[in-house]
Amino acid sequence: MSEEVAARMTFSPLDYAVFSVMLLLSLLVGLYFAVRSRHKANEEFLVGNRSLTCFPVSMSLVVTYISAIAIQGTPAEAYYHSIQYTCGNVGLIGVPIIAYVFVPFYYELNIVSINQYLEMRYDSLAARRVASALFIIQILLNQAVVIYAPALALAAVTTFPIWLSIVSVGSIASVYTAFGGMKAVVWTDALQFMVLLGGIVGVLVKGVIEVGGMGRVWDIAVQHNRAGPQILNWEVSVFERHTVWGLGWAGLLNLLSTYTCSQTAFQRYSSMKNLRHAYMSVFLLVPYYILLSILMLLVGLVLFATYVDCDPLAAGLIDSKDQILPFYVMDRLSGTPGIAGLFVACLFSGALSTISSGVNSQAAVTWEDWLSQTHYCSSLSKGTQAFLTKLIALGYGGVVVALGYGGVAVGLAFIAGSMGGVLQAAVAVTFAVAGPLMAAFIMAIFMPFTNAKGSCVAMILGTVLSLGFYFGSVSIGLTPELLPTSIQGCPTTHLNLTTTITPVDLSPAVRASDLDYPKKLLALSYTLLGTLGFTVALIIGIIVSIMTGCSGGRPIKPHLVHKWVRWTLPTYSTTTTTTSSKQRHSSTSKPYNNTTSTISSSSSSKLVSNNTQLNKKTGEICTRF
C-alpha cells in the first residue's frame, strides 16, 4: 500500500471520541438499569418485569439480527454479486403469520424459556434440554461470526489487534447485559439502532455526493450488472447461489424461524406489557428491515461506483471482499473528521446488540432449562438466583474468557473468516440450526400426534445434516464466483505490487457445475440450508413419532396446541379457554421452575378417559405401531 493511501487511513481524535462515546453510553445505560433493578429477582433481569413497550423492543428485534455482519457483508454482496439479495425481503410477508399465529400463543404461556413449552407439551425434560442445547450452539456459532466482523474491520483500518477487538466487544456487551438485564439490552439496542442507522446514512450521503449523485451511481451499477432487471435470476435450481425463488422462499422461512422459535425473540414477546404492544413490535419489523436493507445495498452500489475502474480487492489493497466498506470509509471519507469514527461505532453497535441479546438469552435458557431444575438452585432465594444468572451472563459474554465460552467464540470467529464471507457464513450456520428447531415447534404446536422421541430425533438429525452440508461445501472449496471488476484505472501508487498473498476472494472458484454427484449435493445454495434442515427434521419427526406410538394416549391440554387444531383433541369444546391477559399479569409471583403452575388448564380427568379417542383423532395409522 502506498504511503499516500496509508496516511489517509488513520483515525483522528474526533473519530476516537465518537467511537468512545457510543461505548460509554452503552455502559451507562446498563449501569442505570443495574441500579434500578439491583434488588429485583430473575423476572426483572430476564423479561424486564413484563413492562416494556413496542418501540424499543421492535428496534431490539431488528438489531439483534441485523448486526455487524449485515452492515459489513451486505454492501460487499452488492459490490461483488449485485443487489439481487434484496429479493429476500419478500419474506416479510410472513410478518402477519408471526404476529397473529405465534405471538398470542406464546404470550399466553407466561413462561421465560421457550424450551419449557416443549417439556409442557410432551411431558419430557429431554425435549426441552435438546432444544436448549441446540439454541446455545446456534447462538455461539452466530456470535463467533458477529464478533469477528467488527474486529476484521477495525484491523483493516487501524493498528488495533483483531484479538483485542474480539475480547473488547464481548466484554463490554456482557458487562452491561449482566448489570442491567433485559431492560438494559432493549434500551441499548434502541440506542445502537439509531447509531447504526446514522452511520449507514452518513456513509451513503457522503459517498453519493462524492460520486456525483444517485443517478450516476445507479447508471454505473446497471451498466456493470450490479442493478437493473437483468440481474434477476429466475432459474429454478437449488444449486444456484441466488435465484429470485430461492431468496424469496429462504427469506420467508428464515424470518419465521428467527421470530417463531428463537429464545431471543420469545423473551422480547414475554417482556411486553400487553399483547397489543407485542403485535406492534412485530409489525414494525417491516419498515425497519426494508429501510436498512435498501440503505446497505445502496452503500454497496456507491462503493462500486467509486472503485469501478480500480477494485481494491483485485489491486491487492484488501485481502477479503468483506473489507471493502471499511477500506472505503478510511480511503475516501477519513478526510472528514468523525465519519470514520461514526462508521466504526456503527459496526460495533451492530455487534454489541447481537452479542448482548445472545448473552441474555443464553443466560435465560441456561438457568431456566438446566440449573433451575436442580433442587439446590430452585431452593435458593430470588436474589441469589438473579445473582447467579448475572454470573452466567458474564461467563457467556467472555469477560472471563478462560471460564466462559469467550475462548471458543474467539476460535470460531477466526475460522469464520475463511467461510466465503461473513454474511454467507452467518446465514448458513444460523439457519442450519434454526430450521430443525422450527420443525420441532411446528410439530408440537400443530401436530398433536407427535411425541418427544420424534421431536428430539428431528432436532438432532436435522441440525447435523444441514451443518454437515455447509461445512462439507467449505471443505471442497466451494466459493461464490465474483462479478468482473477492473484495475485499469488504478494509479501505480495504489497497486500493491509487492504483495505475495493472493486475496482469499480471488482464489479460483469451485462451481456446482464443476462437480459430479454425489459431491455436487454439497453445492446446495447456502440460502436453502435452513429449508433442508426444516424439511428433513419435520419428516423424520413425524415418522419417528408414528413408529413410536404417536402421543401414546397421553392427555394433551388444549392450551398447549394451537387453536386451529384443538378440535382434534377428544374433549375440546369452544368453552375451553386459556389464561387471559388479566390473569397473566396477576400471577407474576408464580415460580419459574414449576412447569404447570403458570398455565391454566381444563380438567385432566376428562382427557385421561379419552385416550383411545385421541389416537382415533390423530390418525388410525398410529395404532398400527
Side-chain angles (χ1 to χ4, degrees):
M1 187 181 301
S2 69
E3 293 182 3
E4 177 189 354
V5 174
R8 289 205 306 259
M9 300 181 69
T10 56
F11 257 25
S12 69
L14 182 59
D15 292 320
Y16 280 110
V18 171
F19 173 56
S20 301
V21 166
M22 186 276 297
L23 296 180
L24 179 61
L25 286 176
S26 297
L27 281 174
L28 290 177
V29 170
L31 291 173
Y32 170 76
F33 286 106
V35 172
R36 289 193 57 182
S37 61
R38 63 187 180 279
H39 299 305
K40 302 294 179 65
N42 262 349
E43 182 157 343
E44 174 75 17
F45 181 77
L46 296 177
V47 290
N49 207 28
R50 306 182 191 277
S51 61
L52 294 173
T53 56
C54 60
F55 286 105
V57 170
S58 63
M59 294 179 187
S60 179
L61 283 169
V62 171
V63 296
T64 295
Y65 298 102
I66 292 187
S67 63
I69 294 170
I71 299 167
Q72 198 171 337
T74 306
E77 176 69 30
Y79 187 111
Y80 291 104
H81 300 285
S82 84
I83 62 171
Q84 187 178 198
Y85 193 76
T86 194
C87 293
N89 283 334
V90 172
L92 291 171
I93 61 175
V95 163
I97 299 174
I98 299 169
Y100 292 125
V101 177
F102 290 94
V103 170
F105 180 81
Y106 286 143
Y107 188 81
E108 297 298 339
L109 290 176
N110 195 27
I111 56 179
V112 175
S113 169
I114 192 174
N115 306 310
Q116 183 179 347
Y117 163 70
L118 293 180
E119 180 181 9
M120 295 160 58
R121 167 67 175 81
Y122 291 126
D123 192 23
S124 169
L125 183 60
R128 178 178 183 174
R129 293 274 176 85
V130 169
S132 178
L134 289 178
F135 171 77
I136 291 173
I137 292 172
Q138 176 199 28
I139 296 300
L140 191 152
L141 291 173
N142 181 59
Q143 287 179 323
V145 185
V146 168
I147 209 170
Y148 178 80
L152 178 67
L154 203 58
V157 299
T158 70
T159 58
F160 205 69
I162 289 181
W163 69 267
L164 188 55
S165 299
I166 291 173
V167 173
S168 299
V169 172
S171 299
I172 292 172
S174 58
V175 165
Y176 74 70
T177 302
F179 284 165
M182 175 56 77
K183 285 186 177 179
V185 170
V186 167
W187 282 105
T188 51
D189 281 355
L191 166 67
Q192 288 154 6
F193 176 88
M194 302 307 297
V195 174
L196 186 153
L197 183 61
I200 296 173
V201 171
V203 172
L204 179 62
V205 171
K206 191 73 168 62
V208 168
I209 293 174
E210 184 181 78
V211 171
M214 196 64 226
R216 175 168 168 75
V217 170
W218 186 260
D219 289 341
I220 293 174
V222 172
Q223 182 182 351
H224 292 84
N225 293 322
R226 264 66 180 183
Q230 77 276 8
I231 70 169
L232 299 179
N233 182 356
W234 295 92
E235 184 177 354
V236 180
S237 172
V238 297
F239 300 117
E240 286 289 325
R241 180 175 182 267
H242 286 168
T243 68
V244 173
W245 311 109
L247 286 168
W249 168 252
L252 174 60
L253 190 73
N254 293 348
L255 182 83
L256 292 176
S257 63
T258 296
Y259 293 106
T260 62
C261 68
S262 169
Q263 172 67 23
T264 308
F266 176 83
Q267 259 181 275
R268 280 152 181 75
Y269 305 149
S270 300
S271 70
M272 307 298 286
K273 64 190 303 182
N274 56 47
L275 190 56
R276 179 170 169 270
H277 278 277
Y279 284 142
M280 288 302 300
S281 68
V282 175
F283 278 108
L284 285 170
L285 294 176
V286 177
Y288 290 159
Y289 263 114
I290 291 176
L291 174 64
L292 289 175
S293 64
I294 290 177
L295 287 176
M296 289 186 291
L297 288 169
L298 289 178
V299 166
L301 297 186
V302 169
L303 302 188
F304 182 75
T306 302
Y307 296 119
V308 63
D309 294 322
C310 183
D311 174 34
L313 181 62
L317 298 176
I318 57 177
D319 298 323
S320 168
K321 66 182 182 183
D322 294 312
Q323 293 177 330
I324 184 64
L325 178 56
F327 175 85
Y328 168 80
V329 170
M330 298 307 297
D331 179 38
R332 309 305 290 263
L333 305 183
S334 60
T336 303
I339 291 291
L342 180 62
F343 166 71
V344 175
C346 170
L347 271 182
F348 270 73
S349 291
L352 286 169
S353 60
T354 300
I355 292 172
S356 62
S357 297
V359 164
N360 187 261
S361 297
Q362 286 170 311
V365 299
T366 300
W367 175 261
E368 292 292 319
D369 299 335
W370 301 85
L371 298 181
S372 71
Q373 304 299 302
T374 65
H375 174 71
Y376 174 77
C377 290
S378 63
S379 63
L380 296 173
S381 67
K382 291 184 177 180
T384 303
Q385 291 180 5
F387 177 73
L388 287 177
T389 306
K390 292 177 180 181
L391 287 182
I392 295 169
L394 284 174
Y396 272 122
V399 173
V400 184
V401 175
L403 299 178
Y405 90 92
V408 177
V410 169
L412 290 174
F414 283 106
I415 294 173
S418 62
M419 290 185 177
V422 291
L423 183 64
Q424 180 170 324
V427 170
V429 299
T430 299
F431 295 110
V433 181
L437 280 175
M438 181 182 175
F441 282 92
I442 292 295
M443 289 164 54
I445 297 171
F446 296 101
M447 302 178 183
F449 65 89
T450 57
N451 59 31
K453 295 183 180 68
S455 179
C456 292
V457 174
M459 287 186 283
I460 294 172
L461 292 186
T463 301
V464 169
L465 181 66
S466 51
L467 282 178
F469 263 71
Y470 179 66
F471 288 110
S473 68
V474 173
S475 68
I476 63 174
L478 192 68
T479 54
E481 185 176 5
L482 309 184
L483 289 176
T485 58
S486 172
I487 58 172
Q488 292 181 357
C490 290
T492 305
T493 56
H494 275 49
L495 292 175
N496 190 4
L497 301 178
T498 62
T499 184
T500 58
I501 302 174
T502 301
V504 173
D505 292 308
L506 290 181
S507 56
V510 176
R511 305 177 182 86
S513 58
D514 298 331
L515 304 173
D516 297 322
Y517 287 100
K519 185 179 290 188
K520 185 174 183 177
L521 295 175
L522 296 176
L524 177 73
S525 172
Y526 76 98
T527 63
L528 299 178
L529 289 177
T531 301
L532 173 67
F534 172 78
T535 305
V536 169
L538 191 64
I539 294 173
I540 290 176
I542 292 174
I543 293 175
V544 172
S545 293
I546 293 174
M547 294 183 65
T548 54
C550 293
S551 61
R554 185 181 63 83
I556 301 175
K557 297 175 183 178
H559 66 276
L560 295 180
V561 295
H562 200 273
K563 61 182 180 181
W564 292 350
V565 297
R566 286 175 190 163
W567 63 271
T568 65
L569 300 179
T571 60
Y572 176 74
S573 67
T574 56
T575 61
T576 303
T577 59
T578 60
T579 306
S580 66
S581 294
K582 183 176 180 180
Q583 293 171 324
R584 178 180 186 272
H585 290 283
S586 67
S587 60
T588 56
S589 62
K590 296 174 181 177
Y592 286 9
N593 60 330
N594 187 336
T595 59
T596 60
S597 63
T598 56
I599 306 298
S600 63
S601 62
S602 59
S603 174
S604 297
S605 59
K606 291 182 180 181
L607 296 174
V608 172
S609 65
N610 288 277
N611 290 342
T612 304
Q613 295 181 45
L614 179 62
N615 279 334
K616 291 180 180 179
K617 290 284 186 180
T618 56
E620 293 295 331
I621 189 171
C622 293
T623 61
R624 298 183 190 138
F625 297 92

